[in-house]
């Protein structure tokens, strides 16, 4: 009887790995690893019926001193997020995907900026090769684009990033691509989205930078951003103990979005690093909202 029990357990486990649990079309996005805190995946609550994206922060086109490397990206997220830990969390939770976020605000004290490559094709080639290596090593599924500082002329951004995403998808290196604009970076991201929107799965707009404090103001900000990027791909976002709307007002805002005809098909949170000390309450509440939401996925 004991042998039969273990045999059946192995069968069930294998079945779960081959046939992941049904997901309701909703997605949870969680940035992780940007602050240097020794955060891990294991403590983060993950609902099995939601597609859960961990966004590792950050892969950067720079050396440790912040000097640009012409498209050669390196991983700079916290060392506790190892390739083995990513493989393990994906094995335990088949609904989990992992993405590398590109750039971010700074590396140490060096502010990072998009720069116009002298040879865009070489930049794209270097970026593809270096990201493919990182994605393979860390068992990743996609990329998130989070450049936050731009020169006066940004035409090269849409072309280089759009072609990079397209190449990564066409070569089956990634299955997911997201972008993370905020209020002062709208122009280059709208240009990117207008040209390559079909290759972009979600828009992780950083609504906490819009400085709105109330649900009604959040609704108006969300409506404005969906006019830029479309209703289907923009996700509401929340910064833990940070800027913008805070506490239960965020969930009132989510209800208000649905009451005004927006399908809330996902939530983005920045970040797991900040949530750890509070027991990940916003991750729990966000996933509960998505599971109970009546909007279509």
């Amino acid at each position: 009887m004991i042998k039969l029990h273990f045999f059946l357990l192995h069968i069930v486990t294998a079945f779960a790995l081959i046939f992941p649990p049904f997901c309701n079309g909703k997605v949870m996005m969680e940035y992780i690893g940007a602050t240097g805190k020794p955060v891990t995946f294991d403590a983060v609550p993950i609902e099995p019926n939601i597609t859960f994206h961990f966004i590792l922060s950050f892969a950067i086109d720079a050396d440790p001193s912040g000097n640009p490397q012409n498209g050669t990206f390196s991983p700079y997220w916290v060392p506790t997020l190892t390739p083995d830990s990513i493989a393990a969390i994906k094995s335990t939770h088949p609904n989990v995907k992992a993405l590398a976020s590109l750039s971010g605000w700074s590396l140490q004290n060096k502010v990072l900026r998009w720069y116009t490559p002298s040879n865009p094709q070489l930049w794209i080639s270097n970026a593809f090769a270096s990201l493919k290596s990182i994605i393979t090593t860390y068992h990743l599924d996609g990329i998130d684009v989070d450049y936050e500082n731009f020169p006066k002329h940004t035409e090269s951004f849409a072309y280089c990033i759009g072609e990079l995403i397209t190449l990564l998808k066409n070569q089956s290196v990634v299955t997911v691509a997201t972008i993370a604009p905020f209020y002062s970076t709208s122009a280059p991201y709208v240009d990117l989205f207008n040209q390559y929107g079909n290759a972009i799965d979600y828009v992780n707009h950083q609504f906490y930078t819009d400085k709105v404090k109330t649900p009604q103001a959040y609704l108006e900000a969300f409506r404005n951003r969906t006019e830029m990027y479309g209703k289907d791909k923009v996700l509401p976002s929340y910064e833990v103990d940070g800027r913008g709307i805070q506490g239960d007002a965020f969930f009132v805002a989510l209800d208000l979005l649905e009451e005004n005809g927006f399908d809330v098909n996902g939530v983005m949170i920045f970040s797991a690093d900040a949530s750890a000390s509070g027991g990940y309450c916003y991750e729990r509440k966000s996933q509960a909202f998505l599971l109970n939401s009546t909007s279509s996925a």
Side-chain angles (χ1 to χ4, degrees), residues 241-296:
D241 296 330
R243 298 159 289 178
I245 199 166
Q246 289 290 295
D248 288 338
F250 175 64
F251 299 100
V252 175
L254 296 185
D255 286 329
L256 196 57
L257 291 179
E258 290 201 329
E259 291 169 9
N260 282 269
F262 293 103
D263 290 342
V264 180
N265 293 328
V267 171
M268 179 269 271
I269 288 184
F270 187 88
S271 65
D273 306 44
S275 287
S277 61
Y280 301 99
C281 64
Y282 294 105
E283 288 79 357
R284 297 180 195 278
K285 289 183 178 180
S286 294
Q287 290 178 89
F289 176 89
L290 294 173
L291 287 172
N292 294 325
S293 172
T294 57
S295 67
S296 59

Side-chain angles (χ1 to χ4, degrees), residues 19-45:
F19 301 100
F22 169 76
C23 292
N24 68 355
K26 306 298 177 70
V27 61
M28 181 77 195
M29 299 272 186
E30 175 91 283
Y31 284 83
I32 188 169
T35 64
K37 295 180 180 179
V39 65
T40 63
F41 300 108
D42 295 336
V44 180

Side-chain angles (χ1 to χ4, degrees), residues 93-108:
H93 299 279
N95 56 316
V96 163
K97 295 182 183 294
L99 287 66
S101 187
L102 307 188
S103 185
W105 181 267
S106 64
L107 179 58
Q108 305 299 335

Side-chain angles (χ1 to χ4, degrees), residues 3-20:
K3 290 183 178 180
L4 178 60
H5 172 78
F6 280 106
F7 174 76
L8 292 174
L9 179 61
H10 285 306
I11 292 294
V12 170
T13 302
F15 185 87
L17 293 175
I18 297 171
F19 301 100

Side-chain angles (χ1 to χ4, degrees), residues 202-223:
Y202 298 100
V203 178
N204 288 321
H205 186 83
Q206 301 178 47
F207 283 100
Y208 36 84
T209 66
D210 285 349
K211 301 178 181 179
V212 299
K213 302 290 187 178
T214 67
Q216 186 63 43
Y218 198 100
L219 168 64
E220 295 308 313
F222 193 86
R223 181 178 285 118

